[in-house]
């Protein structure tokens, strides 16, 4: 595997850059998978639906959805909006992106301050800083399946 440390933006449409990018291939497929993963990362970083629509197949499958989440892009947009109500200044860092064939594994760091409201709890500016890992299956430039694991234990310990 070739490890590439990226010092500049991968492409102007994607302002996020992974701190570490590892790929087993130098091919158009690897570029397409990387672009889809980074577009979705930009969605989580900004909350801008255009990035989710660019990255996700309309009826993509969330393979690890939280209870009650609507399927497809609508569920993702709602989840982002709800989380941003609690952490309005939410931003993400892409610590590591691993691309292998049609798959991308991305290690995120979610950061911000809990100044909004979550359920009945009103934030008081608590620092939010927790990791998450996503795995994407990509076909024809779109994420078709997503598996994810967020460190909610850390998140909830930070806001209480």
């Amino acid at each position: 595997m070739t490890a590439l440390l990226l010092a500049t933006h991968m492409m102007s449409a994607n302002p996020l850059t992974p701190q570490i990018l590892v790929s087993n291939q130098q091919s158009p497929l690897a570029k397409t998978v990387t672009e889809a993963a980074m577009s979705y990362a930009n969605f989580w970083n900004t909350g801008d639906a255009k990035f989710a629509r660019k990255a996700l197949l309309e009826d993509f499958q969330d393979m690890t959805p939280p209870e009650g989440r609507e399927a497809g892009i609508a569920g993702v947009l709602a989840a982002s909006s709800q989380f941003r109500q609690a952490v309005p200044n939410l931003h993400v860092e892409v610590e590591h992106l691993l691309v292998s064939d049609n798959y991308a594994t991305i290690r995120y760091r979610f950061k911000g301050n809990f100044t909004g409201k979550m359920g009945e709890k009103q934030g008081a500016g608590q620092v939010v800083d927790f990791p998450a890992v996503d795995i994407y299956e990509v076909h024809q430039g779109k994420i078709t399946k997503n598996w994810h694991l967020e460190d909610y234990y850390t998140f909830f310990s930070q806001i209480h």
Side-chain angles (χ1 to χ4, degrees), residues 108-129:
Y108 287 109
R109 175 69 54 176
F110 285 75
K111 295 182 176 187
N113 297 90
F114 178 40
T115 57
K117 195 167 185 180
M118 180 171 272
E120 297 299 315
K121 182 154 181 68
Q122 176 61 51
Q126 299 95 316
V127 171
V128 170
D129 183 347

Side-chain angles (χ1 to χ4, degrees), residues 19-91:
Q19 293 173 12
I20 299 171
L21 170 64
V22 179
S23 179
N24 69 345
Q25 55 196 359
Q26 301 294 325
S27 69
L29 176 60
K31 182 180 181 207
T32 298
V33 171
T34 299
E35 288 174 357
M38 291 307 297
S39 186
Y40 198 41
N42 277 305
F43 164 69
W44 287 109
N45 187 49
T46 65
D48 190 334
K50 74 179 177 188
F51 291 115
R53 293 184 197 296
K54 179 180 176 187
L56 300 173
L57 189 66
E58 183 62 37
D59 61 348
F60 91 102
Q61 294 179 293
D62 183 342
M63 306 305 287
T64 52
E67 186 175 327
R69 179 177 289 174
E70 187 177 348
I73 293 175
V76 170
L77 297 178
S80 173
S81 177
Q82 290 167 0
F83 199 73
R84 285 179 180 282
Q85 289 175 11
V87 185
N89 67 340
L90 179 69
H91 62 281

Side-chain angles (χ1 to χ4, degrees), residues 112-158:
N113 297 90
F114 178 40
T115 57
K117 195 167 185 180
M118 180 171 272
E120 297 299 315
K121 182 154 181 68
Q122 176 61 51
Q126 299 95 316
V127 171
V128 170
D129 183 347
F130 66 95
V133 174
D134 282 18
I135 301 170
Y136 308 134
E137 183 176 343
V138 178
H139 294 281
Q140 296 180 340
K142 298 280 190 174
I143 296 171
T144 60
K145 293 181 183 174
N146 175 21
W147 295 261
H148 51 95
L149 181 62
E150 297 81 14
D151 184 355
Y152 287 126
Y153 177 81
T154 296
F155 169 71
F156 285 113
S157 70
Q158 292 169 347

